[in-house]
Amino acid sequence: MPFDRFMSMALYEPGLGYYVNGLHKFGRAGDFVTAPEQGGLFAAALARQCDEAAEVIDDEWTLLELGAGSGVLARDLLSGLRRPPSEYLILEPSAPLREVQHETLSSLPDKLRERVRWLDAPPTTPFAGVIVGNEVIDALPVARFEMAEGRAREQCVTLEGERFGWVDRPPRQRVERAVEALQSHLGRKLPDGYVSEICIDLPGWIETVTEPLERGLVLFIDYGYPREEFYHPDRSGGTLVCHYRHRAHFDPFVWPGLTDLSAFVDFTAVAEAGVEAGLDVAGFSSQTGFLLALGAHEAVEQSGDDQQRLKLAGELKRLTLPGEMGEKFKVLGMTRGLDEGLRGFGMMSQLHRL
Ligand SMILES: C[S@@+](CC[C@H](N)C(=O)[O-])C[C@H]1O[C@@H](n2cnc3c(N)ncnc32)[C@H](O)[C@@H]1O
């Protein structure tokens, strides 16, 4: 089967897939720790950006979070926003994770908790507001290809006895076209033997999730690169990464369903899909640039208590140091009908890299 089919089953097969089997994934006892799980600094900075956008959007605004994980970001945004949204929508495909989110949000006062609504599909009614997706695009299934004699072959999954293994096949037409378009955008041919991934469903997904946004801001935060760096000749083995109990490994066939499976994000592709969907690309930055522009460090400086200051300093380091999440994670901001500059991109916008 094509690798995107395998990845989709490994992550979402009812009852068995990684995101739907009800096993613990987040935090210290799980497989990975996302930025909002580190503490409150990430959500506090994001809340400032949402507040700024909401100010020019409308008195009534909606926040749509894509893939809310443990619900920590939703909880911290709702309690940290100066003017909380009238509705906080969570698009979450995983039933067990919805339960975890319910539980996390139960600590909120009723008047905030009552604003949360879970969705199976993007809202059908148009809204003005903000869409946030932290570490969601990396979970979208990707096709995998290998270059041979100047053309793409598709790397598919086969069974070798009891084990899964790779097998090369002539590419599906969509994959072949996507790799051709990719090379023509890069202005160079990928060398023979070069292996990488491409998310052929990304444009459709971006269009679907952003379509109801009448006016407002879209923020995607994830690990990834601009296209030129993603398909750099030296990155010749692709970007697949698996997480199991805080260890990263690169073999997607180890414990499917028990191991998180993801690929880095081609942010140029996300921006292109956004433009195709009628959005304006407003800013692109490393996570460091975004968080510091929004004053994430101020909470550390202002903390009166030594122990608390140390704890916050540690959290800030994990979020912003180049060897931690700071450079690997990027933030892409796109808008519809908003001309105002965005504070998060005021310090280090790197749109030219896309
Ligand atoms: C790595 S977790 C990130 C969770 C959370 N945003 C955070 O930062 O902690 C990925 C989340 O995206 C959800 N997800 C996966 N595919 C999705 C999709 N196609 N649409 C919306 N959510 C998705 C997963 O169920 C999970 O909640």
Side-chain angles (χ1 to χ4, degrees):
M1 65 172 74
F3 183 72
D4 46 355
R5 171 96 179 103
F6 175 85
M7 184 164 167
S8 173
M9 291 176 83
L11 295 180
Y12 308 111
E13 185 68 14
L16 295 170
Y18 180 76
Y19 280 116
V20 290
N21 60 18
L23 299 173
H24 200 85
K25 317 201 168 314
F26 295 92
R28 312 264 163 232
D31 300 307
F32 49 76
V33 184
T34 61
E37 298 273 336
Q38 303 280 352
L41 293 182
F42 179 84
L46 205 55
R48 272 179 223 130
Q49 183 58 88
C50 294
D51 270 327
E52 183 194 58
E55 206 134 285
V56 289
I57 291 171
D58 208 340
D59 283 346
E60 295 278 299
W61 68 287
T62 296
L63 203 156
L64 167 62
E65 184 179 353
L66 308 169
S70 67
V72 162
L73 182 61
R75 181 197 66 197
D76 292 354
L77 278 178
L78 274 166
S79 46
L81 282 159
R82 223 176 27 234
R83 195 162 55 81
S86 21
E87 269 206 307
Y88 193 111
L89 307 174
I90 295 180
L91 177 62
E92 177 54 69
S94 162
L97 283 180
R98 282 184 187 206
E99 277 178 36
V100 177
Q101 292 156 16
H102 266 285
E103 178 64 31
T104 306
L105 293 170
S106 65
S107 63
L108 286 175
D110 287 352
K111 69 175 189 337
L112 289 177
R113 208 182 51 234
E114 282 159 3
R115 299 176 192 209
V116 183
R117 196 153 59 83
W118 278 266
L119 306 173
D120 294 315
T124 43
T125 329
F127 67 86
V130 179
I131 300 179
V132 172
N134 186 54
E135 288 204 45
V136 178
I137 300 185
D138 66 69
L140 297 183
V142 289
R144 192 155 150 115
F145 64 90
E146 172 166 17
M147 300 306 294
E149 294 170 8
R151 303 179 69 109
R153 301 270 298 165
E154 192 163 350
Q155 285 206 321
C156 296
V157 182
T158 187
L159 254 188
E160 293 164 349
E162 299 267 297
R163 290 185 58 83
F164 291 115
W166 294 109
V167 61
D168 271 9
R169 287 274 179 270
R172 287 167 291 169
Q173 205 178 48
R174 284 181 73 202
V175 174
E176 187 172 34
R177 287 204 184 131
V179 177
E180 272 166 17
L182 167 68
Q183 296 189 105
S184 104
H185 181 278
L186 288 170
R188 57 182 164 84
K189 285 264 177 207
L190 296 169
D192 280 357
Y194 191 89
V195 173
S196 196
E197 300 86 32
I198 195 157
C199 185
I200 48 178
D201 292 331
L202 182 75
W205 187 80
I206 297 278
E207 186 181 4
T208 310
V209 295
T210 61
E211 196 179 355
L213 185 75
E214 228 169 23
R215 181 154 186 264
L217 168 66
V218 184
L219 288 170
F220 285 118
I221 306 129
D222 224 310
Y223 35 94
Y225 309 101
R227 178 171 292 149
E228 188 58 44
E229 287 168 44
F230 189 108
Y231 295 102
H232 191 279
D234 288 347
R235 206 180 310 287
S236 57
T239 70
L240 287 183
V241 56
C242 316
H243 287 99
Y244 182 74
R245 305 247 165 114
H246 299 280
R247 283 174 202 276
H249 69 86
F250 307 99
D251 183 349
F253 304 138
V254 172
W255 298 331
L258 296 180
T259 306
D260 176 38
L261 189 48
S262 65
F264 276 55
V265 172
D266 170 358
F267 273 101
T268 307
V270 181
E272 279 174 359
V275 169
E276 196 63 28
L279 299 167
D280 298 314
V281 180
F284 178 62
S285 168
S286 64
Q287 179 165 291
T288 308
F290 184 75
L291 294 182
L292 295 185
L294 290 161
H297 52 295
E298 286 161 16
V300 185
E301 289 156 11
Q302 286 158 8
S303 163
D305 170 317
D306 278 354
Q307 220 174 345
Q308 178 66 359
R309 190 173 322 120
L310 267 181
K311 190 167 157 275
L312 290 176
E315 183 187 342
L316 188 67
K317 282 184 188 169
R318 288 193 295 281
L319 293 172
T320 59
L321 283 185
E324 301 261 357
M325 302 177 91
E327 284 297 317
K328 186 164 102 173
F329 283 76
K330 315 284 192 302
V331 186
L332 177 69
M334 300 189 283
T335 54
R336 182 151 23 232
L338 279 194
D339 295 329
E340 291 73 8
L342 298 166
R343 186 175 152 196
F345 301 104
M347 192 185 231
M348 243 189 249
S349 191
Q350 303 178 335
L351 278 177
H352 61 279
R353 289 177 66 196
L354 286 175

